[in-house]
Amino acid sequence: MNALPLLAGAIALALSACSPSPAPDSTTAPAADTAPLATDDASEPALDAGAIDDPVATPVPMDADSRAADVAGCATILTSNDAMQFDADAIVIPASCASFTIHLTHVGTLPIGAMGHNVVIARAADMPAIVADGMAATPRHIKPGDTRVIAHTDMIGGGGSTSVTFDVALVREGGPYRFFCSFPGHLARMQGSLQVQ
Ligand code: ZN
């Protein structure tokens, strides 16, 4: 009987002894190779290999498979980073919610002009035009008065956070709907499905 707590304690100690050690190779990204990548293509924001290995950016789990955002009540938290990623590619809004809030955090360190992120909600078919029309609309990258935009957060840079609350009735029917970042060049990597279930 007495052995169980001791055993559990020993396991906890063993786990805690293992977990804090960061991968030693996370700091060995070859910085010398990354600089030329950004110079010859002005249409692509600089995304060097070093950013992906950035220890600040890596704690966010970024699975290749579909990952639904954790929803608590009628809200969720989306995390973004310097590697041009959201930590989820699906948001499922409970049908019982009248309104829904998306909190966006940016765990990177790059400034808004280099790696800005926002969350825009719109019909999937409207995404390309919203991004194209918002290209020149710095710093928010949403054309003022764009009626195709159902809801959007502010644009934030590294270390920032923001949120948006919207009426769920706006996305109950007429989809499919998507959430995405409207910063130029980010749409391909930063988008996901949004549905009411
Ligand atoms: Zn972005």
Side-chain angles (χ1 to χ4, degrees), residues 80 86 102-106 112 115-120 139-142 149 151-157 160-165 180-183:
S80 59
F86 288 130
I102 297 174
H103 299 281
L104 173 68
T105 64
H106 189 325
I112 186 171
M115 187 56 69
H117 298 314
N118 64 1
V119 175
V120 181
R140 290 191 166 199
H141 292 295
I142 292 173
V149 172
H152 69 89
T153 69
D154 284 336
M155 187 73 71
I156 57 173
S161 63
T162 184
S163 66
V164 63
T165 299
F180 59 96
C181 175
S182 69
F183 193 92

PDB file of all heavy atoms in Angstrom, residues 80 86 102-106 112 115-120 139-142 149 151-157 160-165 180-183:
ATOM      1  N   SER A  80       0.099  32.021 -33.009  1.00  0.00           N
ATOM      2  CA  SER A  80       0.844  32.175 -34.253  1.00  0.00           C
ATOM      3  C   SER A  80       2.305  32.413 -33.912  1.00  0.00           C
ATOM      4  O   SER A  80       2.650  32.694 -32.760  1.00  0.00           O
ATOM      5  CB  SER A  80       0.278  33.347 -35.052  1.00  0.00           C
ATOM      6  OG  SER A  80       0.350  34.546 -34.298  1.00  0.00           O
ATOM      7  N   PHE A  86      -0.328  29.166 -37.784  1.00  0.00           N
ATOM      8  CA  PHE A  86      -1.278  29.048 -36.686  1.00  0.00           C
ATOM      9  C   PHE A  86      -1.079  27.663 -36.072  1.00  0.00           C
ATOM     10  O   PHE A  86      -0.631  26.736 -36.745  1.00  0.00           O
ATOM     11  CB  PHE A  86      -2.719  29.148 -37.187  1.00  0.00           C
ATOM     12  CG  PHE A  86      -3.153  30.524 -37.624  1.00  0.00           C
ATOM     13  CD1 PHE A  86      -3.766  30.706 -38.861  1.00  0.00           C
ATOM     14  CD2 PHE A  86      -2.982  31.630 -36.812  1.00  0.00           C
ATOM     15  CE1 PHE A  86      -4.188  31.957 -39.272  1.00  0.00           C
ATOM     16  CE2 PHE A  86      -3.404  32.895 -37.213  1.00  0.00           C
ATOM     17  CZ  PHE A  86      -4.011  33.056 -38.444  1.00  0.00           C
ATOM     18  N   ILE A 102     -12.382  34.711 -30.692  1.00  0.00           N
ATOM     19  CA  ILE A 102     -11.078  34.149 -31.033  1.00  0.00           C
ATOM     20  C   ILE A 102     -10.005  35.062 -30.447  1.00  0.00           C
ATOM     21  O   ILE A 102      -9.946  36.250 -30.767  1.00  0.00           O
ATOM     22  CB  ILE A 102     -10.885  34.034 -32.556  1.00  0.00           C
ATOM     23  CG1 ILE A 102     -11.910  33.066 -33.151  1.00  0.00           C
ATOM     24  CG2 ILE A 102      -9.461  33.568 -32.882  1.00  0.00           C
ATOM     25  CD1 ILE A 102     -11.882  32.995 -34.674  1.00  0.00           C
ATOM     26  N   HIS A 103      -9.199  34.507 -29.561  1.00  0.00           N
ATOM     27  CA  HIS A 103      -8.028  35.210 -29.025  1.00  0.00           C
ATOM     28  C   HIS A 103      -6.827  34.805 -29.869  1.00  0.00           C
ATOM     29  O   HIS A 103      -6.597  33.611 -30.079  1.00  0.00           O
ATOM     30  CB  HIS A 103      -7.781  34.830 -27.565  1.00  0.00           C
ATOM     31  CG  HIS A 103      -8.913  35.170 -26.634  1.00  0.00           C
ATOM     32  ND1 HIS A 103      -9.126  36.445 -26.164  1.00  0.00           N
ATOM     33  CD2 HIS A 103      -9.894  34.405 -26.106  1.00  0.00           C
ATOM     34  CE1 HIS A 103     -10.192  36.445 -25.377  1.00  0.00           C
ATOM     35  NE2 HIS A 103     -10.675  35.223 -25.330  1.00  0.00           N
ATOM     36  N   LEU A 104      -6.090  35.784 -30.340  1.00  0.00           N
ATOM     37  CA  LEU A 104      -4.897  35.508 -31.142  1.00  0.00           C
ATOM     38  C   LEU A 104      -3.670  35.978 -30.389  1.00  0.00           C
ATOM     39  O   LEU A 104      -3.620  37.131 -29.935  1.00  0.00           O
ATOM     40  CB  LEU A 104      -4.984  36.233 -32.495  1.00  0.00           C
ATOM     41  CG  LEU A 104      -3.712  36.171 -33.362  1.00  0.00           C
ATOM     42  CD1 LEU A 104      -3.456  34.741 -33.848  1.00  0.00           C
ATOM     43  CD2 LEU A 104      -3.814  37.126 -34.539  1.00  0.00           C
ATOM     44  N   THR A 105      -2.693  35.097 -30.265  1.00  0.00           N
ATOM     45  CA  THR A 105      -1.407  35.494 -29.689  1.00  0.00           C
ATOM     46  C   THR A 105      -0.310  35.236 -30.715  1.00  0.00           C
ATOM     47  O   THR A 105      -0.436  34.353 -31.562  1.00  0.00           O
ATOM     48  CB  THR A 105      -1.074  34.716 -28.401  1.00  0.00           C
ATOM     49  OG1 THR A 105      -0.917  33.333 -28.727  1.00  0.00           O
ATOM     50  CG2 THR A 105      -2.177  34.871 -27.382  1.00  0.00           C
ATOM     51  N   HIS A 106       0.737  36.031 -30.648  1.00  0.00           N
ATOM     52  CA  HIS A 106       1.885  35.909 -31.552  1.00  0.00           C
ATOM     53  C   HIS A 106       3.102  35.662 -30.670  1.00  0.00           C
ATOM     54  O   HIS A 106       3.583  36.576 -29.996  1.00  0.00           O
ATOM     55  CB  HIS A 106       2.023  37.208 -32.357  1.00  0.00           C
ATOM     56  CG  HIS A 106       3.023  37.174 -33.471  1.00  0.00           C
ATOM     57  ND1 HIS A 106       4.199  36.470 -33.411  1.00  0.00           N
ATOM     58  CD2 HIS A 106       3.010  37.770 -34.704  1.00  0.00           C
ATOM     59  CE1 HIS A 106       4.876  36.636 -34.548  1.00  0.00           C
ATOM     60  NE2 HIS A 106       4.165  37.417 -35.349  1.00  0.00           N
ATOM     61  N   ILE A 112       5.619  43.696 -36.612  1.00  0.00           N
ATOM     62  CA  ILE A 112       4.384  43.579 -37.377  1.00  0.00           C
ATOM     63  C   ILE A 112       4.626  43.762 -38.877  1.00  0.00           C
ATOM     64  O   ILE A 112       3.978  43.120 -39.709  1.00  0.00           O
ATOM     65  CB  ILE A 112       3.353  44.596 -36.839  1.00  0.00           C
ATOM     66  CG1 ILE A 112       1.992  44.421 -37.511  1.00  0.00           C
ATOM     67  CG2 ILE A 112       3.836  46.029 -37.014  1.00  0.00           C
ATOM     68  CD1 ILE A 112       0.902  45.256 -36.869  1.00  0.00           C
ATOM     69  N   MET A 115       6.346  40.218 -39.971  1.00  0.00           N
ATOM     70  CA  MET A 115       5.656  38.952 -39.699  1.00  0.00           C
ATOM     71  C   MET A 115       4.354  39.244 -38.962  1.00  0.00           C
ATOM     72  O   MET A 115       4.064  38.674 -37.924  1.00  0.00           O
ATOM     73  CB  MET A 115       6.587  38.041 -38.885  1.00  0.00           C
ATOM     74  CG  MET A 115       6.104  36.613 -38.641  1.00  0.00           C
ATOM     75  SD  MET A 115       5.701  35.628 -40.089  1.00  0.00           S
ATOM     76  CE  MET A 115       7.319  35.376 -40.822  1.00  0.00           C
ATOM     77  N   GLY A 116       3.540  40.132 -39.535  1.00  0.00           N
ATOM     78  CA  GLY A 116       2.264  40.448 -38.903  1.00  0.00           C
ATOM     79  C   GLY A 116       1.263  39.317 -39.079  1.00  0.00           C
ATOM     80  O   GLY A 116       1.276  38.607 -40.077  1.00  0.00           O
ATOM     81  N   HIS A 117       0.431  39.144 -38.061  1.00  0.00           N
ATOM     82  CA  HIS A 117      -0.629  38.127 -38.159  1.00  0.00           C
ATOM     83  C   HIS A 117      -1.949  38.731 -37.682  1.00  0.00           C
ATOM     84  O   HIS A 117      -1.982  39.534 -36.739  1.00  0.00           O
ATOM     85  CB  HIS A 117      -0.317  36.914 -37.282  1.00  0.00           C
ATOM     86  CG  HIS A 117       0.942  36.189 -37.670  1.00  0.00           C
ATOM     87  ND1 HIS A 117       1.253  35.857 -38.967  1.00  0.00           N
ATOM     88  CD2 HIS A 117       1.964  35.730 -36.913  1.00  0.00           C
ATOM     89  CE1 HIS A 117       2.408  35.221 -38.993  1.00  0.00           C
ATOM     90  NE2 HIS A 117       2.872  35.138 -37.756  1.00  0.00           N
ATOM     91  N   ASN A 118      -3.021  38.310 -38.332  1.00  0.00           N
ATOM     92  CA  ASN A 118      -4.357  38.602 -37.851  1.00  0.00           C
ATOM     93  C   ASN A 118      -5.216  37.373 -38.103  1.00  0.00           C
ATOM     94  O   ASN A 118      -4.732  36.365 -38.645  1.00  0.00           O
ATOM     95  CB  ASN A 118      -4.947  39.857 -38.537  1.00  0.00           C
ATOM     96  CG  ASN A 118      -5.157  39.684 -40.032  1.00  0.00           C
ATOM     97  OD1 ASN A 118      -4.875  38.618 -40.596  1.00  0.00           O
ATOM     98  ND2 ASN A 118      -5.642  40.719 -40.679  1.00  0.00           N
ATOM     99  N   VAL A 119      -6.446  37.438 -37.682  1.00  0.00           N
ATOM    100  CA  VAL A 119      -7.410  36.382 -38.005  1.00  0.00           C
ATOM    101  C   VAL A 119      -8.583  37.049 -38.693  1.00  0.00           C
ATOM    102  O   VAL A 119      -9.217  37.943 -38.124  1.00  0.00           O
ATOM    103  CB  VAL A 119      -7.890  35.628 -36.748  1.00  0.00           C
ATOM    104  CG1 VAL A 119      -8.981  34.620 -37.126  1.00  0.00           C
ATOM    105  CG2 VAL A 119      -6.733  34.914 -36.072  1.00  0.00           C
ATOM    106  N   VAL A 120      -8.822  36.643 -39.922  1.00  0.00           N
ATOM    107  CA  VAL A 120      -9.950  37.141 -40.704  1.00  0.00           C
ATOM    108  C   VAL A 120     -10.900  35.973 -40.932  1.00  0.00           C
ATOM    109  O   VAL A 120     -10.461  34.846 -41.178  1.00  0.00           O
ATOM    110  CB  VAL A 120      -9.473  37.706 -42.059  1.00  0.00           C
ATOM    111  CG1 VAL A 120     -10.655  38.254 -42.853  1.00  0.00           C
ATOM    112  CG2 VAL A 120      -8.422  38.779 -41.848  1.00  0.00           C
ATOM    113  N   PRO A 139      -1.481  49.146 -41.862  1.00  0.00           N
ATOM    114  CA  PRO A 139      -0.852  47.879 -41.466  1.00  0.00           C
ATOM    115  C   PRO A 139      -1.854  46.741 -41.295  1.00  0.00           C
ATOM    116  O   PRO A 139      -1.451  45.624 -41.007  1.00  0.00           O
ATOM    117  CB  PRO A 139      -0.253  48.232 -40.104  1.00  0.00           C
ATOM    118  CG  PRO A 139      -1.239  49.203 -39.527  1.00  0.00           C
ATOM    119  CD  PRO A 139      -1.795  49.982 -40.702  1.00  0.00           C
ATOM    120  N   ARG A 140      -3.143  46.990 -41.458  1.00  0.00           N
ATOM    121  CA  ARG A 140      -4.116  45.931 -41.155  1.00  0.00           C
ATOM    122  C   ARG A 140      -4.273  44.926 -42.295  1.00  0.00           C
ATOM    123  O   ARG A 140      -4.735  43.818 -42.091  1.00  0.00           O
ATOM    124  CB  ARG A 140      -5.481  46.555 -40.855  1.00  0.00           C
ATOM    125  CG  ARG A 140      -5.497  47.300 -39.529  1.00  0.00           C
ATOM    126  CD  ARG A 140      -6.908  47.665 -39.167  1.00  0.00           C
ATOM    127  NE  ARG A 140      -6.988  48.083 -37.774  1.00  0.00           N
ATOM    128  CZ  ARG A 140      -8.114  48.102 -37.086  1.00  0.00           C
ATOM    129  NH1 ARG A 140      -9.237  47.727 -37.661  1.00  0.00           N
ATOM    130  NH2 ARG A 140      -8.117  48.484 -35.836  1.00  0.00           N
ATOM    131  N   HIS A 141      -3.970  45.355 -43.509  1.00  0.00           N
ATOM    132  CA  HIS A 141      -4.113  44.495 -44.674  1.00  0.00           C
ATOM    133  C   HIS A 141      -5.536  43.972 -44.849  1.00  0.00           C
ATOM    134  O   HIS A 141      -5.766  42.809 -45.180  1.00  0.00           O
ATOM    135  CB  HIS A 141      -3.086  43.350 -44.636  1.00  0.00           C
ATOM    136  CG  HIS A 141      -1.692  43.855 -44.818  1.00  0.00           C
ATOM    137  ND1 HIS A 141      -1.253  44.455 -45.980  1.00  0.00           N
ATOM    138  CD2 HIS A 141      -0.641  43.898 -43.964  1.00  0.00           C
ATOM    139  CE1 HIS A 141       0.008  44.826 -45.840  1.00  0.00           C
ATOM    140  NE2 HIS A 141       0.404  44.516 -44.627  1.00  0.00           N
ATOM    141  N   ILE A 142      -6.476  44.866 -44.596  1.00  0.00           N
ATOM    142  CA  ILE A 142      -7.881  44.641 -44.933  1.00  0.00           C
ATOM    143  C   ILE A 142      -8.378  45.942 -45.537  1.00  0.00           C
ATOM    144  O   ILE A 142      -8.223  47.012 -44.933  1.00  0.00           O
ATOM    145  CB  ILE A 142      -8.719  44.277 -43.694  1.00  0.00           C
ATOM    146  CG1 ILE A 142      -8.296  42.906 -43.168  1.00  0.00           C
ATOM    147  CG2 ILE A 142     -10.213  44.277 -44.038  1.00  0.00           C
ATOM    148  CD1 ILE A 142      -8.950  42.553 -41.859  1.00  0.00           C
ATOM    149  N   VAL A 149     -15.554  40.683 -45.488  1.00  0.00           N
ATOM    150  CA  VAL A 149     -14.951  40.309 -44.206  1.00  0.00           C
ATOM    151  C   VAL A 149     -16.060  40.215 -43.156  1.00  0.00           C
ATOM    152  O   VAL A 149     -16.728  41.209 -42.850  1.00  0.00           O
ATOM    153  CB  VAL A 149     -13.893  41.337 -43.770  1.00  0.00           C
ATOM    154  CG1 VAL A 149     -13.412  41.051 -42.356  1.00  0.00           C
ATOM    155  CG2 VAL A 149     -12.726  41.325 -44.751  1.00  0.00           C
ATOM    156  N   ALA A 151     -15.552  39.043 -39.928  1.00  0.00           N
ATOM    157  CA  ALA A 151     -14.954  39.513 -38.672  1.00  0.00           C
ATOM    158  C   ALA A 151     -13.446  39.453 -38.826  1.00  0.00           C
ATOM    159  O   ALA A 151     -12.931  38.690 -39.647  1.00  0.00           O
ATOM    160  CB  ALA A 151     -15.393  38.637 -37.497  1.00  0.00           C
ATOM    161  N   HIS A 152     -12.745  40.288 -38.047  1.00  0.00           N
ATOM    162  CA  HIS A 152     -11.283  40.206 -38.086  1.00  0.00           C
ATOM    163  C   HIS A 152     -10.705  40.809 -36.816  1.00  0.00           C
ATOM    164  O   HIS A 152     -11.284  41.706 -36.209  1.00  0.00           O
ATOM    165  CB  HIS A 152     -10.713  40.916 -39.307  1.00  0.00           C
ATOM    166  CG  HIS A 152     -10.846  42.409 -39.271  1.00  0.00           C
ATOM    167  ND1 HIS A 152      -9.886  43.229 -38.709  1.00  0.00           N
ATOM    168  CD2 HIS A 152     -11.836  43.234 -39.694  1.00  0.00           C
ATOM    169  CE1 HIS A 152     -10.270  44.482 -38.821  1.00  0.00           C
ATOM    170  NE2 HIS A 152     -11.450  44.519 -39.405  1.00  0.00           N
ATOM    171  N   THR A 153      -9.532  40.312 -36.456  1.00  0.00           N
ATOM    172  CA  THR A 153      -8.786  40.906 -35.345  1.00  0.00           C
ATOM    173  C   THR A 153      -7.907  42.011 -35.895  1.00  0.00           C
ATOM    174  O   THR A 153      -7.787  42.191 -37.104  1.00  0.00           O
ATOM    175  CB  THR A 153      -7.869  39.868 -34.672  1.00  0.00           C
ATOM    176  OG1 THR A 153      -6.809  39.533 -35.579  1.00  0.00           O
ATOM    177  CG2 THR A 153      -8.623  38.619 -34.269  1.00  0.00           C
ATOM    178  N   ASP A 154      -7.252  42.720 -35.002  1.00  0.00           N
ATOM    179  CA  ASP A 154      -6.181  43.627 -35.392  1.00  0.00           C
ATOM    180  C   ASP A 154      -5.005  42.810 -35.909  1.00  0.00           C
ATOM    181  O   ASP A 154      -4.881  41.617 -35.620  1.00  0.00           O
ATOM    182  CB  ASP A 154      -5.721  44.459 -34.186  1.00  0.00           C
ATOM    183  CG  ASP A 154      -6.704  45.562 -33.844  1.00  0.00           C
ATOM    184  OD1 ASP A 154      -7.464  45.976 -34.738  1.00  0.00           O
ATOM    185  OD2 ASP A 154      -6.702  45.985 -32.676  1.00  0.00           O
ATOM    186  N   MET A 155      -4.126  43.457 -36.637  1.00  0.00           N
ATOM    187  CA  MET A 155      -2.858  42.851 -37.047  1.00  0.00           C
ATOM    188  C   MET A 155      -1.868  43.050 -35.896  1.00  0.00           C
ATOM    189  O   MET A 155      -1.773  44.148 -35.340  1.00  0.00           O
ATOM    190  CB  MET A 155      -2.356  43.529 -38.319  1.00  0.00           C
ATOM    191  CG  MET A 155      -1.135  42.895 -38.958  1.00  0.00           C
ATOM    192  SD  MET A 155      -1.454  41.312 -39.781  1.00  0.00           S
ATOM    193  CE  MET A 155      -2.402  41.837 -41.235  1.00  0.00           C
ATOM    194  N   ILE A 156      -1.167  41.990 -35.529  1.00  0.00           N
ATOM    195  CA  ILE A 156      -0.218  42.080 -34.418  1.00  0.00           C
ATOM    196  C   ILE A 156       1.151  41.561 -34.843  1.00  0.00           C
ATOM    197  O   ILE A 156       1.268  40.748 -35.759  1.00  0.00           O
ATOM    198  CB  ILE A 156      -0.697  41.294 -33.171  1.00  0.00           C
ATOM    199  CG1 ILE A 156      -0.955  39.828 -33.519  1.00  0.00           C
ATOM    200  CG2 ILE A 156      -1.930  41.948 -32.573  1.00  0.00           C
ATOM    201  CD1 ILE A 156      -1.256  38.964 -32.304  1.00  0.00           C
ATOM    202  N   GLY A 157       2.171  42.024 -34.164  1.00  0.00           N
ATOM    203  CA  GLY A 157       3.526  41.529 -34.363  1.00  0.00           C
ATOM    204  C   GLY A 157       3.934  40.624 -33.210  1.00  0.00           C
ATOM    205  O   GLY A 157       3.131  40.321 -32.324  1.00  0.00           O
ATOM    206  N   GLY A 160       2.616  40.139 -29.401  1.00  0.00           N
ATOM    207  CA  GLY A 160       1.308  40.780 -29.284  1.00  0.00           C
ATOM    208  C   GLY A 160       0.181  39.790 -29.061  1.00  0.00           C
ATOM    209  O   GLY A 160       0.348  38.581 -29.208  1.00  0.00           O
ATOM    210  N   SER A 161      -0.962  40.339 -28.697  1.00  0.00           N
ATOM    211  CA  SER A 161      -2.170  39.520 -28.603  1.00  0.00           C
ATOM    212  C   SER A 161      -3.369  40.421 -28.856  1.00  0.00           C
ATOM    213  O   SER A 161      -3.317  41.634 -28.651  1.00  0.00           O
ATOM    214  CB  SER A 161      -2.283  38.845 -27.229  1.00  0.00           C
ATOM    215  OG  SER A 161      -2.409  39.811 -26.216  1.00  0.00           O
ATOM    216  N   THR A 162      -4.440  39.812 -29.325  1.00  0.00           N
ATOM    217  CA  THR A 162      -5.640  40.550 -29.663  1.00  0.00           C
ATOM    218  C   THR A 162      -6.798  39.555 -29.683  1.00  0.00           C
ATOM    219  O   THR A 162      -6.599  38.356 -29.498  1.00  0.00           O
ATOM    220  CB  THR A 162      -5.491  41.248 -31.037  1.00  0.00           C
ATOM    221  OG1 THR A 162      -6.643  42.040 -31.296  1.00  0.00           O
ATOM    222  CG2 THR A 162      -5.339  40.228 -32.149  1.00  0.00           C
ATOM    223  N   SER A 163      -7.998  40.056 -29.894  1.00  0.00           N
ATOM    224  CA  SER A 163      -9.128  39.133 -29.964  1.00  0.00           C
ATOM    225  C   SER A 163     -10.254  39.778 -30.753  1.00  0.00           C
ATOM    226  O   SER A 163     -10.272  40.994 -30.969  1.00  0.00           O
ATOM    227  CB  SER A 163      -9.615  38.747 -28.566  1.00  0.00           C
ATOM    228  OG  SER A 163     -10.155  39.876 -27.905  1.00  0.00           O
ATOM    229  N   VAL A 164     -11.154  38.939 -31.190  1.00  0.00           N
ATOM    230  CA  VAL A 164     -12.344  39.412 -31.889  1.00  0.00           C
ATOM    231  C   VAL A 164     -13.523  38.533 -31.473  1.00  0.00           C
ATOM    232  O   VAL A 164     -13.365  37.334 -31.274  1.00  0.00           O
ATOM    233  CB  VAL A 164     -12.160  39.384 -33.421  1.00  0.00           C
ATOM    234  CG1 VAL A 164     -11.947  37.962 -33.930  1.00  0.00           C
ATOM    235  CG2 VAL A 164     -13.353  40.030 -34.125  1.00  0.00           C
ATOM    236  N   THR A 165     -14.677  39.166 -31.284  1.00  0.00           N
ATOM    237  CA  THR A 165     -15.909  38.446 -30.973  1.00  0.00           C
ATOM    238  C   THR A 165     -16.910  38.730 -32.086  1.00  0.00           C
ATOM    239  O   THR A 165     -17.054  39.882 -32.507  1.00  0.00           O
ATOM    240  CB  THR A 165     -16.474  38.900 -29.620  1.00  0.00           C
ATOM    241  OG1 THR A 165     -15.512  38.619 -28.603  1.00  0.00           O
ATOM    242  CG2 THR A 165     -17.776  38.161 -29.290  1.00  0.00           C
ATOM    243  N   PHE A 180      -8.218  32.998 -41.592  1.00  0.00           N
ATOM    244  CA  PHE A 180      -6.924  33.118 -42.242  1.00  0.00           C
ATOM    245  C   PHE A 180      -6.244  34.417 -41.842  1.00  0.00           C
ATOM    246  O   PHE A 180      -6.866  35.311 -41.273  1.00  0.00           O
ATOM    247  CB  PHE A 180      -7.067  33.050 -43.778  1.00  0.00           C
ATOM    248  CG  PHE A 180      -7.949  34.127 -44.362  1.00  0.00           C
ATOM    249  CD1 PHE A 180      -7.395  35.299 -44.876  1.00  0.00           C
ATOM    250  CD2 PHE A 180      -9.325  33.973 -44.399  1.00  0.00           C
ATOM    251  CE1 PHE A 180      -8.203  36.287 -45.419  1.00  0.00           C
ATOM    252  CE2 PHE A 180     -10.143  34.963 -44.936  1.00  0.00           C
ATOM    253  CZ  PHE A 180      -9.587  36.116 -45.441  1.00  0.00           C
ATOM    254  N   CYS A 181      -4.948  34.501 -42.178  1.00  0.00           N
ATOM    255  CA  CYS A 181      -4.174  35.730 -41.970  1.00  0.00           C
ATOM    256  C   CYS A 181      -4.094  36.462 -43.293  1.00  0.00           C
ATOM    257  O   CYS A 181      -3.732  35.879 -44.317  1.00  0.00           O
ATOM    258  CB  CYS A 181      -2.775  35.388 -41.459  1.00  0.00           C
ATOM    259  SG  CYS A 181      -1.701  36.843 -41.316  1.00  0.00           S
ATOM    260  N   SER A 182      -4.394  37.772 -43.277  1.00  0.00           N
ATOM    261  CA  SER A 182      -4.406  38.544 -44.523  1.00  0.00           C
ATOM    262  C   SER A 182      -3.093  39.271 -44.787  1.00  0.00           C
ATOM    263  O   SER A 182      -3.014  40.064 -45.722  1.00  0.00           O
ATOM    264  CB  SER A 182      -5.575  39.534 -44.519  1.00  0.00           C
ATOM    265  OG  SER A 182      -5.372  40.559 -43.556  1.00  0.00           O
ATOM    266  N   PHE A 183      -2.070  39.030 -43.971  1.00  0.00           N
ATOM    267  CA  PHE A 183      -0.762  39.632 -44.253  1.00  0.00           C
ATOM    268  C   PHE A 183      -0.278  39.100 -45.605  1.00  0.00           C
ATOM    269  O   PHE A 183      -0.416  37.907 -45.884  1.00  0.00           O
ATOM    270  CB  PHE A 183       0.231  39.262 -43.145  1.00  0.00           C
ATOM    271  CG  PHE A 183       1.516  40.061 -43.166  1.00  0.00           C
ATOM    272  CD1 PHE A 183       1.626  41.218 -42.424  1.00  0.00           C
ATOM    273  CD2 PHE A 183       2.599  39.645 -43.926  1.00  0.00           C
ATOM    274  CE1 PHE A 183       2.804  41.957 -42.424  1.00  0.00           C
ATOM    275  CE2 PHE A 183       3.782  40.377 -43.929  1.00  0.00           C
ATOM    276  CZ  PHE A 183       3.881  41.537 -43.184  1.00  0.00           C
TER     277      PHE A 183
END
